């Protein structure tokens, strides 16, 4: 909370050398252009070159399909470079050794590249510095004596605007692609919860992976013969199919199995015991800040979740968390420990939840070892037990979470600080049981930025903290009571509309929340989707006043965001992907700052949900 905006990392890279093979160069090298007869016999080897089947066949870091502008057909590629990413879209094609190929495509935009790599001879690319209208790019190459696969690609340039591409073709003799595998058999469901269904199937000879479909839509790709489809809605019927894939393509779909997710534990907010719409606030319990100290007994009944700020470590990597109450010298009106504990019990008797929040702006926590993990569990347990608290809020900021360079899959994290945090929280959840309340308050840099960037990226150079909360949220989604991302102190973030959204109005909150409730491809990979959270697991994080943090918005803008997300009204220019009347509510930094501002945030919440 309350810290400066994190800047996106930018690469230290030079513009790639562009290789243009002209007819004269081909003649000089002894290579001849393909004859008309030869070209007629050659096939177009590019799969889905017109992007009529969305991004099928392509792997894109930041791409989508649009219906306008298009060169031909109904759709075209739109990809938006930004920061440390050049919005590369690529596919690998089977080719014949020692053969001639022509790569062609239509592009539109500034600095658009079309090229081929892995040719076994000289990799080639061609580019348009400025193409205000559709412009054809063409280049040729010859494969090496043992080359059987070539990667064709298109990309833009770092920090420039979006580019478009369409009708990409690679003509030449087709390689030995073999046959797609057979359809998987034996598909069956395993354990079913209110938000997830486990699936398994029989292995298929020759398959290198499997694609999983939910209600006809591809939702993930896995290498094994089992997976769990999560992010589902309680009490809802779903159908599932699986296909087998290899270099030659994708099999037919398996037989369909169906499953109906379980009911939520209760109708009033799950096992958390929260009301249908909840107000969450942080209470400055260990410091005063400029807003002054607020006694626990003086917190109004409107606040359903009270996060005690903050528990902090004795050192960054110790895992030893301590909660020190505000000293009298800083907080002259601070209550005694006995009064504080009695006030907590009174809040709980009234149905409120009181949590210890770990981290904050100054509390960097890095669980780099299993010893630190175990100390975290024991020390947090000691705080919970001493004050009789309901659970834990994870407010890791700064450099607490980052991803190692080889940690590229949010579903299977390998970085110790990530793995140990997940393990520690699961241990706490198991110790305290189903009533344990777990909330998280990450910044947008660690969550929504993951739509564009994840860790250091495929080619390195990105901030390793980008999207680093995603594996934690995903691993704990079935234990998670509330996620309330800090929609403040944030840089501009790209939404699912591939436009950048900035703080200061309802639009930012709508776009950021829509991403959580819709799900999104991580780092632009359509085969690696972060599944949506349930609406009852999501609250919107906002500053209570202009003094509380950058990004404060008026009550009118707060209400516009709520109207759009829960009623599909007042949405402005951003089109949401659904309507979520069960959105849990709002979080604010902080109760103290709201008191300082005459309870404006609380009063507006009460009036809206009345």
């Amino acid at each position: 909370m309350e810290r400066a905006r994190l800047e996106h990392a930018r690469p230290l890279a030079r513009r790639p050398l562009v290789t243009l093979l002209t007819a004269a160069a081909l003649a000089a090298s002894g290579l001849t252009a393909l004859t008309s007869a030869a070209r007629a016999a050659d096939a177009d080897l590019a799969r889905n070159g017109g992007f009529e089947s969305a991004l099928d066949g392509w792997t894109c870091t930041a791409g989508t399909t649009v219906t306008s502008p298009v060169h031909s057909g109904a759709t075209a590629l739109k990809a938006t470079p930004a920061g440390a990413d050049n919005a590369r879209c690529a596919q690998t094609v089977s080719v014949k050794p020692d053969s001639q190929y022509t790569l062609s495509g239509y592009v539109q935009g500034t600095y658009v590249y079309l090229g081929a790599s892995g040719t076994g001879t000289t990799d080639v690319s061609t580019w348009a510095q400025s193409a205000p209208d559709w412009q054809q790019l063409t280049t040729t190459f010859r494969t090496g004596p043992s080359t059987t696969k070539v990667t064709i690609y298109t990309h833009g340039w770092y920090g420039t605007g979006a580019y478009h591409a369409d009708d990409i073709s690679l003509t030449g003799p087709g390689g030995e692609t073999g046959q797609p595998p057979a359809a998987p058999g034996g598909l069956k469901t395993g354990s079913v919860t209110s938000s997830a269904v486990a699936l398994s199937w029989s292995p298929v000879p020759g398959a290198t992976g499997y694609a999983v479909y939910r209600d006809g839509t591809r939702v993930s790709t896995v290498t094994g013969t089992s997976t769990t489809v999560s992010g589902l809605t309680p009490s809802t019927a779903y159908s599932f199919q699986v296909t087998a894939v290899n270099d030659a393509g994708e099999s037919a779909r398996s037989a369909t199995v169906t499953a109906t997710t379980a009911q939520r534990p209760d109708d009033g907010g799950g096992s958390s015991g929260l009301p249908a719409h909840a107000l969450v606030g942080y209470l400055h319990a260990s410091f005063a800040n400029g807003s002054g100290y607020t006694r626990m007994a003086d917190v109004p009944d409107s606040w359903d979740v009270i996060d005690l700020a903050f528990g902090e470590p004795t050192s960054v990597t110790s895992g030893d968390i301590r909660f020190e109450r505000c000293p009298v010298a800083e907080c002259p009106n601070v209550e005694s420990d006995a009064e504080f504990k009695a006030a907590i019990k009174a809040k709980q008797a009234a149905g409120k939840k009181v949590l210890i929040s770990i981290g904050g702006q100054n509390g960097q926590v890095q669980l780099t070892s299993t010893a630190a993990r175990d100390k975290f569990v024991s020390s947090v347990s000691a705080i919970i037990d001493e004050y009789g608290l309901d659970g834990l809020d994870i407010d890791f900021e700064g450099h607490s979470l980052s991803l190692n360079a080889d940690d590229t899959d949010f579903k299977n994290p390998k970085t110790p600080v990530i793995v140990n945090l997940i393990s520690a929280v699961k241990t706490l959840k198991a110790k305290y049981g189903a009533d344990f309340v777990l909330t998280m308050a990450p910044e947008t840099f660690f969550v929504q930025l993951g739509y564009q960037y994840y860790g250091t990226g495929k080619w390195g150079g990105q901030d390793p903290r980008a999207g680093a909360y995603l594996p934690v949220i995903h691993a704990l989604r079935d234990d998670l009571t509330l996620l309330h991302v800090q929609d403040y102190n944030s840089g501009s973030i790209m939404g699912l509309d591939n436009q950048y959204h900035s703080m200061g109005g309802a639009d930012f909150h709508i776009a950021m929340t829509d991403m959580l409730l819709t799900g999104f491809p991580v780092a632009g990979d359509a085969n690696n989707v972060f599944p949506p959270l349930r609406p009852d697991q999501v609250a919107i994080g906002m500053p209570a006043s202009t003094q509380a943090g950058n990004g404060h918005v008026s009550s009118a803008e707060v209400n516009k965001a709520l109207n759009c997300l829960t009623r599909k009204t007042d949405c402005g220019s951003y089109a949401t992907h659904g309507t979520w009347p069960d959105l849990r509510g709002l979080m604010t930094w902080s109760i103290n700052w709201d008191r300082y501002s005459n309870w404006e945030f609380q009063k507006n919440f009460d009036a809206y949900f009345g």
Side-chain angles (χ1 to χ4, degrees):
M1 304 292 178
E2 294 188 294
R3 63 188 193 82
R5 163 183 170 178
L6 293 169
E7 296 296 334
H8 300 170
R10 293 188 178 273
L12 298 176
R14 297 179 181 175
R15 182 172 301 161
L17 176 66
V18 179
T19 304
L20 298 175
L21 297 184
T22 62
L26 286 171
S29 66
L31 301 177
T32 57
L34 295 174
T35 65
S36 299
R39 287 181 184 277
D42 287 338
D44 180 4
L45 307 179
R47 176 178 171 182
N48 189 31
F51 301 96
E52 301 302 314
S53 300
L55 297 179
D56 181 45
W58 296 90
T59 299
C60 301
T61 61
T64 187
T65 51
V66 294
T67 56
S68 178
V70 298
H71 176 256
S72 70
T75 56
L77 170 70
K78 177 182 179 182
T80 306
D85 179 48
N86 60 8
R88 187 178 191 262
C89 282
Q91 70 170 264
T92 299
V93 181
S94 295
V95 293
K96 282 189 174 181
D98 198 26
S99 300
Q100 190 75 13
Y101 293 88
T102 299
L103 175 64
S104 179
Y106 288 84
V107 300
Q108 188 178 120
T110 303
Y111 294 118
V112 194
Y113 294 76
L114 178 68
S117 62
T119 61
T121 54
T122 301
D123 291 349
V124 298
S125 66
T126 180
W127 66 303
Q129 181 173 353
S130 177
D133 201 354
W134 289 107
Q135 176 178 327
Q136 187 177 30
L137 297 178
T138 302
T139 186
T140 60
F141 62 88
R142 192 171 188 86
T143 53
S146 60
T147 302
T148 58
K149 293 185 184 298
V150 169
T151 298
I152 60 175
Y153 64 84
T154 182
H155 68 73
W157 194 246
Y158 308 97
T160 60
Y163 73 88
H164 296 80
D166 201 3
D167 296 333
I168 295 174
S169 65
L170 178 67
T171 55
E176 298 297 328
T177 60
Q179 295 293 321
L187 178 62
K188 60 183 179 181
T189 61
S191 63
V192 178
T193 69
S194 62
S195 61
V197 174
L199 301 171
S200 64
W201 54 91
S202 302
V204 176
T208 57
Y210 301 89
V212 180
Y213 289 80
R214 183 191 69 206
D215 293 337
T217 300
R218 185 169 174 166
V219 292
S220 67
T221 302
V222 298
T223 56
T225 56
S226 64
T227 190
T228 297
V229 181
S230 56
L232 307 179
T233 301
S235 304
T236 302
Y238 293 93
S239 64
F240 302 95
Q241 295 171 294
V242 178
T243 62
V245 296
N246 63 15
D247 289 343
E250 185 173 359
S251 74
R253 296 185 187 183
S254 69
T256 300
V257 298
T258 60
T260 299
T261 49
Q263 283 186 309
R264 222 177 286 156
D266 62 63
D267 294 332
S271 60
S272 68
L274 294 176
H277 300 292
L279 180 62
V280 182
Y282 287 79
L283 184 68
H284 306 179
S286 58
F287 58 95
N289 204 316
S291 60
Y293 184 80
T294 299
R295 294 163 65 99
M296 174 65 73
D298 294 334
V299 176
D301 287 341
S302 296
W303 300 91
D304 300 296
V305 180
I306 303 168
D307 292 320
L308 303 181
F310 288 106
E312 298 182 0
T314 55
S315 68
V316 173
T317 58
S318 70
D320 188 5
I321 306 300
R322 303 297 175 85
F323 174 57
E324 304 292 343
R325 299 198 51 238
C326 190
V328 175
E330 185 178 350
C331 305
N333 61 323
V334 65
E335 67 269 61
S336 68
D337 279 354
E339 291 171 326
F340 185 69
K341 292 175 182 178
I344 290 174
K345 287 185 178 179
K347 293 295 179 190
Q348 293 168 330
K352 313 306 177 185
K353 305 298 179 182
V354 184
L355 316 180
I356 179 64
S357 180
I358 308 298
Q361 177 182 354
N362 299 321
Q364 305 292 299
V365 182
Q366 296 176 1
L367 303 183
T368 55
S369 65
T370 54
R373 174 200 66 191
D374 295 343
K375 190 61 179 178
F376 181 88
V377 171
S378 62
S379 59
V380 170
S381 295
I383 296 169
I384 291 172
D385 293 344
E386 179 179 356
Y387 292 95
L389 305 179
D390 297 288
L392 170 67
D393 173 68
I394 301 173
D395 184 17
F396 284 17
E397 302 183 17
H399 292 270
S400 293
L401 296 181
S402 62
L403 294 158
N404 290 349
D406 63 344
D407 199 343
T408 58
D409 181 4
F410 76 92
K411 296 175 183 176
N412 298 286
K414 297 186 287 184
T415 306
V417 295
I418 303 290
V419 174
N420 288 332
L421 175 60
I422 293 168
S423 175
V425 175
K426 283 187 174 292
T427 300
L428 288 166
K429 177 73 174 181
K431 176 179 180 178
Y432 290 103
D435 292 335
F436 185 77
V437 178
L438 173 64
T439 66
M440 300 182 195
E443 297 163 293
T444 56
F445 192 93
F446 296 88
V447 183
Q448 288 94 336
L449 186 66
Y451 177 50
Q452 287 183 277
Y453 312 107
Y454 188 70
T456 58
K458 293 182 180 179
W459 299 282
Q462 295 174 189
D463 192 319
R465 298 170 298 171
Y469 248 94
L470 293 177
V472 179
I473 298 168
H474 184 68
L476 297 170
R477 62 172 59 238
D478 289 337
D479 302 312
L480 182 65
T481 309
L482 274 179
L483 177 73
H484 32 66
V485 175
Q486 300 177 37
D487 286 1
Y488 47 91
N489 297 339
S490 170
S492 296
I493 303 291
M494 181 180 285
L496 294 180
D497 57 354
N498 289 328
Q499 303 298 314
Y500 282 97
H501 299 268
S502 302
M503 300 182 301
D507 172 82
F508 187 69
H509 299 294
I510 293 167
M512 295 302 98
T513 308
D514 181 64
M515 295 178 76
L516 302 176
L517 298 172
T518 303
F520 54 87
V522 175
D525 185 352
N527 294 320
N528 194 29
V529 175
F530 178 78
L533 292 167
R534 303 190 315 265
D536 66 280
Q537 289 180 298
V538 176
I540 310 172
M542 303 178 173
S545 66
T546 54
Q547 299 96 330
N550 295 324
H552 174 260
V553 296
S554 67
S555 295
E557 292 298 302
V558 173
N559 293 347
K560 283 182 182 179
L562 291 172
N563 285 342
C564 179
L565 293 164
T566 65
R567 305 172 185 175
K568 204 86 168 179
T569 61
D570 284 340
C571 287
S573 61
Y574 185 90
T576 62
H577 294 75
T579 306
W580 302 280
D582 292 334
L583 179 73
R584 182 64 77 180
L586 302 178
M587 175 276 279
T588 194
W589 177 263
S590 60
I591 294 172
N592 303 61
W593 280 117
D594 197 34
R595 180 188 184 192
Y596 187 86
S597 300
N598 196 31
W599 303 112
E600 175 187 353
F601 194 89
Q602 171 207 301
K603 290 176 181 177
N604 183 65
F605 178 90
D606 289 344
Y608 187 89
F609 288 109

